[in-house]
Amino acid sequence: MYEHRYRENKLHGQPEFPLHIYRVEHQASVHSILPVHWHNEMEMIYLAEGRATFYIESREFAIQAGDALIVHPGELHSGMDTAIGGTCYYSIVFKGSWLSSPQPDRVQELFLDPVLQGTVRLPVLLSAADAAHSPLLQLIRELLSRYERKPGAYEMSLKALLLLFIADSYQYRLTGLNPAAETRHGREYNRQIREVLSYMEAHSRDRLELDQLAAVVALSRSHFCKFFKAQTGMRPMEYLNYIRISQAASLLRSGSYNVLEAALESGYQHVSYFSKWFKHYMNMTPSEYKARYSSGV
């Protein structure tokens, strides 16, 4: 089932249990499997099927089934499918502070605080081909299994597995210091693209024009289009349609909206135009998608 999040302020899980796992499937011919976005939570991406290239800040990671990536809070990240038969990945999103001790202790001071404060980084890439990464990958698979099965006290076991993941990262010397700060230009580009994405997400249902988006970061129309494509890999209107179609897909899955209602709620005024973009991204019509997924299969 397709599911995606891009709003920085979306709540992942519940306030008393701030962890959620998303299973994201894409059929063949869907190139962008994760539009560029960021959030304040930690994220583990585990590729179950296919091959893909993910971008975290300015770094590129080509991964295959069985590999995993760690995205630290606040990092821009996106993904592209590089397989012929489609992809499936799991996204484990959780609040780092959830793992903290209720009172200061040795574990908090020496191990958790450096990770939560960003001075120490967990390993970004975990490769199934690297024996040193096997223990951490096994912990991720166990976490996915327990989340799906939900045995008794599974919430505690998930928290324990995340703590063990951090502990083993230290034990196997897979942690590292925070890399040097970006260049001044890099920080400015990062700030600008965040502003534009936030604006697009907040106004995704409105009629948005290129000049209007360019004005958010005080660029000319032509410079803005080049800037946006360089930072996200997508054209501005292409990204806007991606957001809208993802929202519509979520509404159709709920079973509470028909195709027309989902189109209107997502910012489309013409069903034919909506259907064109929906098939472009989902490789099936809205009606076919609703019939296949609205039951929760």
Side-chain angles (χ1 to χ4, degrees):
M1 182 184 299
Y2 178 83
E3 185 163 0
H4 181 61
R5 315 86 46 231
Y6 18 66
R7 291 179 181 257
E8 181 185 17
N9 59 357
K10 175 169 181 178
L11 175 65
H12 302 285
Q14 301 298 320
E16 68 278 8
F17 185 57
L19 177 146
H20 194 79
I21 297 179
Y22 302 87
R23 184 172 187 268
V24 185
E25 289 183 33
H26 281 285
Q27 297 183 356
S29 303
V30 177
H31 185 52
S32 178
I33 60 174
L34 185 65
V36 62
H37 72 291
W38 80 98
H39 40 70
N40 291 324
E41 294 86 3
M42 186 82 74
E43 180 172 4
M44 297 176 171
I45 298 173
Y46 180 81
L47 190 64
E49 299 175 15
R51 294 174 180 269
T53 297
F54 284 87
Y55 302 88
I56 302 177
E57 292 294 325
S58 59
R59 301 177 65 187
E60 177 180 321
F61 300 92
I63 64 174
Q64 57 187 354
D67 295 344
L69 295 169
I70 308 300
V71 182
H72 292 80
E75 292 183 327
L76 286 167
H77 52 291
S78 61
M80 300 289 179
D81 180 10
T82 55
I84 297 177
T87 56
C88 173
Y89 67 87
Y90 291 88
S91 176
I92 305 164
V93 186
F94 63 95
K95 218 172 182 180
S97 58
W98 177 54
L99 305 178
S100 295
S101 304
Q103 61 185 35
D105 61 16
R106 179 180 174 85
V107 171
Q108 186 76 35
E109 180 182 349
L110 295 182
F111 305 110
L112 281 177
D113 280 347
V115 173
L116 299 180
Q117 294 168 5
T119 56
V120 167
R121 313 283 279 183
L122 297 177
V124 178
L125 171 64
L126 296 173
S127 171
D130 190 332
H133 296 167
S134 294
L136 296 183
L137 288 169
Q138 181 56 40
L139 289 174
I140 292 177
R141 288 190 288 268
E142 179 64 20
L143 192 150
L144 293 171
S145 174
R146 289 181 182 240
Y147 185 87
E148 181 178 358
R149 293 186 289 109
K150 291 182 171 52
Y154 82 96
E155 299 94 338
M156 180 181 288
S157 67
L158 298 185
K159 190 171 188 177
L161 286 167
L162 289 174
L163 287 169
L164 186 56
F165 183 94
I166 295 175
D168 282 359
S169 294
Y170 278 105
Q171 177 185 343
Y172 297 116
R173 301 181 183 278
L174 296 175
T175 58
L177 297 179
N178 197 354
E182 303 172 274
T183 65
R184 181 175 62 84
H185 288 301
R187 289 194 299 271
E188 179 62 13
Y189 291 155
N190 194 291
R191 180 194 66 78
Q192 289 179 312
I193 196 63
R194 287 169 188 262
E195 285 188 15
V196 174
L197 296 182
S198 293
Y199 186 88
M200 293 176 75
E201 290 159 8
H203 299 275
S204 63
R205 293 177 58 188
D206 302 338
R207 182 181 178 87
L208 295 177
E209 303 289 347
L210 278 175
D211 290 337
Q212 183 180 354
L213 296 174
V216 174
V217 287
L219 293 175
S220 69
R221 181 189 180 112
S222 60
H223 281 108
F224 172 73
C225 290
K226 293 177 182 177
F227 162 76
F228 194 94
K229 181 69 181 290
Q231 295 298 309
T232 69
M234 302 173 77
R235 297 184 299 274
M237 293 300 113
E238 182 183 9
Y239 183 85
L240 179 61
N241 278 297
Y242 197 111
I243 291 175
R244 290 172 171 170
I245 294 303
S246 298
Q247 292 171 342
S250 179
L251 297 177
L252 291 174
R253 285 197 309 274
S254 72
S256 301
Y257 293 78
N258 60 35
V259 172
L260 175 60
E261 291 168 338
L264 293 174
E265 189 68 21
S266 303
Y268 291 96
Q269 300 302 314
H270 303 286
V271 175
S272 59
Y273 187 68
F274 165 68
S275 297
K276 170 190 170 183
W277 278 104
F278 196 98
K279 190 168 185 179
H280 174 76
Y281 284 119
M282 300 302 179
N283 207 29
M284 66 180 75
T285 67
S287 297
E288 291 170 339
Y289 187 91
K290 179 177 172 61
R292 180 171 181 176
Y293 291 124
S294 64
S295 63
V297 175

